[in-house]
Amino acid sequence: NEGYALAFCSSGKGFASCKLTFIAISRILRIAGTYYSQRNEKMGEVMKSTLSSFSKVERQVFPRSLALAPWNTFFFAAVLGAGAISFGSEFILVVPDRPQSVQTVIFGYLLAAGLAAYFIRSAYPHESLGWCNRVTLMRLVAVAVLAIAVLEGITPQLPLLFLALFALCLDGIDGWLARYEGLSSDFGARFDVEVDAAFAFLLAVYGARTGVAAPYVILLGIPYYLFWFARTMVPWLNAPLPDRFSRKAVCVLQISVL
C-alpha cells in the first residue's frame, strides 16, 4: 500500500487533492489510534502503524511548503464553507428541497473563493493564511446565505437578522487579527473590502425586494461599485487611498443602517 500510494502521488495525478486526502486520513488515523489504544491495545498498534506509513509517504512525496501553503488551506476552508451555506439555507432560512437559488449561490461562492485562492497563490506574501483571512471567508459564507434570502424573497425574520449582525461584528475582527498576527497584506485588505461591498449591496437589495424600504435604498449599496466603474474611466482615481478612520466609520454606519 505504501509503495502504491507513493507511485500514484508521485505521478502528478491530482497532486493537491491527493495532499488534502492524505492530511484528512492522517488526522482520522491519529484520532482513531488514540481512541483504540485506550480500549484495544492490538487495534491501537495497527492504527499507529498505518499512520506511520501514511506519514512516511507524505514526507517523501509532499514538500513541507505545500502542506502549509496558504492557498491550500484557503481552498479546504472554502469547501467547508460551501457545506455551511447549504446548512444555513436549510436550518437558518428553512429553504426546502435545495432550490435552484441555493445551487446558484454555492456555485458563485465557489467561483469567488477560487479566484481568491488564485490571488493568494500568486501574490500573497506570507507563509501562513492566518485567522484573519479565515474570518473574512466566514463573512463571505454569511453573505452567501443572505444572497439566498434575496433570491428567494424570504420575509425578514430573527435568524436572518442575527446572521447579518454576526457578519457585521466579524467585520471589525479580521483587520485586528491581521495586525495581531502580523499578516496584513494587500490581498487581505482587498478581500475584506469586496466582502463588505457585496454585503452592503445584498442588504440594500433585500430591503427593497421585501418592501421594508423604498427602492431608492439600493443607492446605499452601490457606492463602491460606482467608484470602481469611475476608476476605469478616470485613471488618477486608481492612486492608493489614504488610511482614514472616517471612511471606515462611514462603511460600518452604512451597513448598520441597512
Side-chain angles (χ1 to χ4, degrees):
N1 291 340
E2 207 171 296
Y4 174 77
L6 185 61
F8 173 78
C9 294
S10 298
S11 67
K13 299 176 181 178
F15 189 79
S17 60
C18 190
K19 171 63 182 176
L20 290 174
T21 303
F22 262 68
I23 292 175
I25 294 176
S26 295
R27 300 298 182 271
I28 293 171
L29 287 173
R30 183 171 289 112
I31 294 171
T34 303
Y35 175 82
Y36 281 109
S37 64
Q38 298 173 357
R39 291 163 176 77
N40 187 317
E41 185 175 347
K42 185 176 180 180
M43 182 63 74
E45 290 301 319
V46 171
M47 289 289 183
K48 290 180 180 179
S49 176
T50 307
L51 176 60
S52 177
S53 296
F54 266 87
S55 299
K56 184 177 179 181
V57 172
E58 186 176 341
R59 285 193 300 270
Q60 293 183 54
V61 177
F62 304 107
R64 183 66 175 167
S65 58
L66 181 61
L68 299 176
W71 70 269
N72 198 335
T73 306
F74 186 89
F75 174 79
F76 185 69
V79 172
L80 293 178
I85 294 171
S86 180
F87 176 87
S89 69
E90 185 169 351
F91 293 98
I92 297 178
L93 304 180
V94 196
V95 177
D97 302 327
R98 298 289 194 280
Q100 187 67 33
S101 59
V102 177
Q103 300 173 22
T104 301
V105 167
I106 290 178
F107 178 73
Y109 160 82
L110 289 174
L111 280 181
L115 184 63
Y118 169 78
F119 283 113
I120 289 176
R121 188 173 187 181
S122 60
Y124 187 67
H126 305 293
E127 295 182 356
S128 172
L129 181 66
W131 277 103
C132 49
N133 292 304
R134 289 184 177 93
V135 168
T136 309
L137 183 62
M138 289 173 60
R139 290 175 52 225
L140 181 60
V141 169
V143 170
V145 175
L146 177 63
I148 296 173
V150 172
L151 292 177
E152 290 293 313
I154 296 174
T155 55
Q157 50 188 257
L158 275 179
L160 196 55
L161 172 63
F162 289 144
L163 179 68
L165 289 174
F166 173 73
L168 178 61
C169 291
L170 288 182
D171 188 24
I173 294 176
D174 48 8
W176 177 83
L177 281 173
R179 293 185 292 271
Y180 178 79
E181 296 176 314
L183 296 176
S184 299
S185 66
D186 291 339
F187 165 80
R190 181 66 181 273
F191 188 29
D192 179 58
V193 168
E194 295 295 341
V195 173
D196 280 343
F199 187 30
F201 177 73
L202 286 172
L203 284 173
V205 173
Y206 180 74
R209 171 157 188 178
T210 56
V212 174
Y216 64 77
V217 73
I218 295 177
L219 293 175
L220 272 178
I222 61 175
Y224 173 78
Y225 298 105
L226 291 177
F227 181 70
W228 182 87
F229 178 75
R231 285 167 56 186
T232 64
M233 308 297 293
V234 185
W236 64 266
L237 288 176
N238 290 292
L241 294 172
D243 186 18
R244 290 178 180 169
F245 177 79
S246 58
R247 189 167 64 249
K248 298 177 182 178
V250 167
C251 177
V252 172
L253 179 62
Q254 171 191 359
I255 294 177
S256 300
V257 169
L258 287 169

PDB file of all heavy atoms in Angstrom, residues 141-155:
ATOM      1  N   VAL A 141     -19.253  33.523   3.659  1.00  0.00           N
ATOM      2  CA  VAL A 141     -20.258  32.461   3.788  1.00  0.00           C
ATOM      3  C   VAL A 141     -21.588  33.048   4.266  1.00  0.00           C
ATOM      4  O   VAL A 141     -22.659  32.726   3.736  1.00  0.00           O
ATOM      5  CB  VAL A 141     -19.771  31.359   4.759  1.00  0.00           C
ATOM      6  CG1 VAL A 141     -20.905  30.400   5.099  1.00  0.00           C
ATOM      7  CG2 VAL A 141     -18.598  30.598   4.156  1.00  0.00           C
ATOM      8  N   ALA A 142     -21.530  33.924   5.269  1.00  0.00           N
ATOM      9  CA  ALA A 142     -22.748  34.561   5.784  1.00  0.00           C
ATOM     10  C   ALA A 142     -23.422  35.401   4.699  1.00  0.00           C
ATOM     11  O   ALA A 142     -24.654  35.409   4.571  1.00  0.00           O
ATOM     12  CB  ALA A 142     -22.416  35.424   6.996  1.00  0.00           C
ATOM     13  N   VAL A 143     -22.620  36.110   3.917  1.00  0.00           N
ATOM     14  CA  VAL A 143     -23.160  36.922   2.822  1.00  0.00           C
ATOM     15  C   VAL A 143     -23.813  36.031   1.771  1.00  0.00           C
ATOM     16  O   VAL A 143     -24.859  36.384   1.193  1.00  0.00           O
ATOM     17  CB  VAL A 143     -22.039  37.781   2.194  1.00  0.00           C
ATOM     18  CG1 VAL A 143     -22.511  38.435   0.904  1.00  0.00           C
ATOM     19  CG2 VAL A 143     -21.581  38.852   3.178  1.00  0.00           C
ATOM     20  N   ALA A 144     -23.220  34.859   1.514  1.00  0.00           N
ATOM     21  CA  ALA A 144     -23.806  33.930   0.546  1.00  0.00           C
ATOM     22  C   ALA A 144     -25.177  33.433   1.008  1.00  0.00           C
ATOM     23  O   ALA A 144     -26.106  33.304   0.206  1.00  0.00           O
ATOM     24  CB  ALA A 144     -22.860  32.751   0.321  1.00  0.00           C
ATOM     25  N   VAL A 145     -25.311  33.155   2.304  1.00  0.00           N
ATOM     26  CA  VAL A 145     -26.617  32.731   2.837  1.00  0.00           C
ATOM     27  C   VAL A 145     -27.633  33.862   2.674  1.00  0.00           C
ATOM     28  O   VAL A 145     -28.802  33.636   2.329  1.00  0.00           O
ATOM     29  CB  VAL A 145     -26.502  32.317   4.316  1.00  0.00           C
ATOM     30  CG1 VAL A 145     -27.867  31.989   4.895  1.00  0.00           C
ATOM     31  CG2 VAL A 145     -25.572  31.112   4.462  1.00  0.00           C
ATOM     32  N   LEU A 146     -27.176  35.096   2.900  1.00  0.00           N
ATOM     33  CA  LEU A 146     -28.053  36.254   2.701  1.00  0.00           C
ATOM     34  C   LEU A 146     -28.489  36.360   1.240  1.00  0.00           C
ATOM     35  O   LEU A 146     -29.630  36.728   0.942  1.00  0.00           O
ATOM     36  CB  LEU A 146     -27.341  37.529   3.138  1.00  0.00           C
ATOM     37  CG  LEU A 146     -28.096  38.852   2.930  1.00  0.00           C
ATOM     38  CD1 LEU A 146     -29.372  38.855   3.761  1.00  0.00           C
ATOM     39  CD2 LEU A 146     -27.212  40.042   3.306  1.00  0.00           C
ATOM     40  N   ALA A 147     -27.582  36.015   0.322  1.00  0.00           N
ATOM     41  CA  ALA A 147     -27.911  36.067  -1.106  1.00  0.00           C
ATOM     42  C   ALA A 147     -29.049  35.102  -1.432  1.00  0.00           C
ATOM     43  O   ALA A 147     -29.903  35.391  -2.287  1.00  0.00           O
ATOM     44  CB  ALA A 147     -26.679  35.728  -1.940  1.00  0.00           C
ATOM     45  N   ILE A 148     -29.083  33.956  -0.759  1.00  0.00           N
ATOM     46  CA  ILE A 148     -30.185  33.005  -0.964  1.00  0.00           C
ATOM     47  C   ILE A 148     -31.499  33.631  -0.514  1.00  0.00           C
ATOM     48  O   ILE A 148     -32.534  33.498  -1.175  1.00  0.00           O
ATOM     49  CB  ILE A 148     -29.916  31.697  -0.200  1.00  0.00           C
ATOM     50  CG1 ILE A 148     -28.664  31.008  -0.754  1.00  0.00           C
ATOM     51  CG2 ILE A 148     -31.113  30.758  -0.301  1.00  0.00           C
ATOM     52  CD1 ILE A 148     -28.224  29.798   0.051  1.00  0.00           C
ATOM     53  N   ALA A 149     -31.466  34.339   0.621  1.00  0.00           N
ATOM     54  CA  ALA A 149     -32.675  35.011   1.122  1.00  0.00           C
ATOM     55  C   ALA A 149     -33.162  36.054   0.123  1.00  0.00           C
ATOM     56  O   ALA A 149     -34.375  36.237  -0.068  1.00  0.00           O
ATOM     57  CB  ALA A 149     -32.391  35.653   2.474  1.00  0.00           C
ATOM     58  N   VAL A 150     -32.212  36.754  -0.521  1.00  0.00           N
ATOM     59  CA  VAL A 150     -32.585  37.762  -1.514  1.00  0.00           C
ATOM     60  C   VAL A 150     -33.249  37.104  -2.714  1.00  0.00           C
ATOM     61  O   VAL A 150     -34.312  37.540  -3.183  1.00  0.00           O
ATOM     62  CB  VAL A 150     -31.345  38.564  -1.960  1.00  0.00           C
ATOM     63  CG1 VAL A 150     -31.694  39.480  -3.135  1.00  0.00           C
ATOM     64  CG2 VAL A 150     -30.788  39.390  -0.808  1.00  0.00           C
ATOM     65  N   LEU A 151     -32.654  36.029  -3.220  1.00  0.00           N
ATOM     66  CA  LEU A 151     -33.191  35.357  -4.408  1.00  0.00           C
ATOM     67  C   LEU A 151     -34.553  34.726  -4.126  1.00  0.00           C
ATOM     68  O   LEU A 151     -35.427  34.706  -4.999  1.00  0.00           O
ATOM     69  CB  LEU A 151     -32.206  34.291  -4.892  1.00  0.00           C
ATOM     70  CG  LEU A 151     -30.883  34.802  -5.469  1.00  0.00           C
ATOM     71  CD1 LEU A 151     -29.981  33.637  -5.825  1.00  0.00           C
ATOM     72  CD2 LEU A 151     -31.114  35.687  -6.687  1.00  0.00           C
ATOM     73  N   GLU A 152     -34.716  34.204  -2.914  1.00  0.00           N
ATOM     74  CA  GLU A 152     -35.978  33.547  -2.563  1.00  0.00           C
ATOM     75  C   GLU A 152     -37.043  34.535  -2.081  1.00  0.00           C
ATOM     76  O   GLU A 152     -38.214  34.172  -1.961  1.00  0.00           O
ATOM     77  CB  GLU A 152     -35.729  32.492  -1.478  1.00  0.00           C
ATOM     78  CG  GLU A 152     -34.966  31.283  -1.953  1.00  0.00           C
ATOM     79  CD  GLU A 152     -35.761  30.454  -2.951  1.00  0.00           C
ATOM     80  OE1 GLU A 152     -36.941  30.169  -2.693  1.00  0.00           O
ATOM     81  OE2 GLU A 152     -35.196  30.100  -3.999  1.00  0.00           O
ATOM     82  N   GLY A 153     -36.632  35.789  -1.802  1.00  0.00           N
ATOM     83  CA  GLY A 153     -37.589  36.774  -1.316  1.00  0.00           C
ATOM     84  C   GLY A 153     -38.151  36.435   0.052  1.00  0.00           C
ATOM     85  O   GLY A 153     -39.320  36.700   0.350  1.00  0.00           O
ATOM     86  N   ILE A 154     -37.301  35.845   0.911  1.00  0.00           N
ATOM     87  CA  ILE A 154     -37.748  35.439   2.243  1.00  0.00           C
ATOM     88  C   ILE A 154     -38.043  36.678   3.090  1.00  0.00           C
ATOM     89  O   ILE A 154     -37.262  37.633   3.119  1.00  0.00           O
ATOM     90  CB  ILE A 154     -36.677  34.567   2.919  1.00  0.00           C
ATOM     91  CG1 ILE A 154     -36.502  33.266   2.125  1.00  0.00           C
ATOM     92  CG2 ILE A 154     -37.029  34.261   4.368  1.00  0.00           C
ATOM     93  CD1 ILE A 154     -35.381  32.388   2.620  1.00  0.00           C
ATOM     94  N   THR A 155     -39.159  36.659   3.790  1.00  0.00           N
ATOM     95  CA  THR A 155     -39.539  37.803   4.616  1.00  0.00           C
ATOM     96  C   THR A 155     -38.578  37.949   5.791  1.00  0.00           C
ATOM     97  O   THR A 155     -37.982  36.963   6.245  1.00  0.00           O
ATOM     98  CB  THR A 155     -40.966  37.626   5.157  1.00  0.00           C
ATOM     99  OG1 THR A 155     -41.037  36.378   5.855  1.00  0.00           O
ATOM    100  CG2 THR A 155     -41.969  37.630   4.022  1.00  0.00           C
TER     101      THR A 155
END
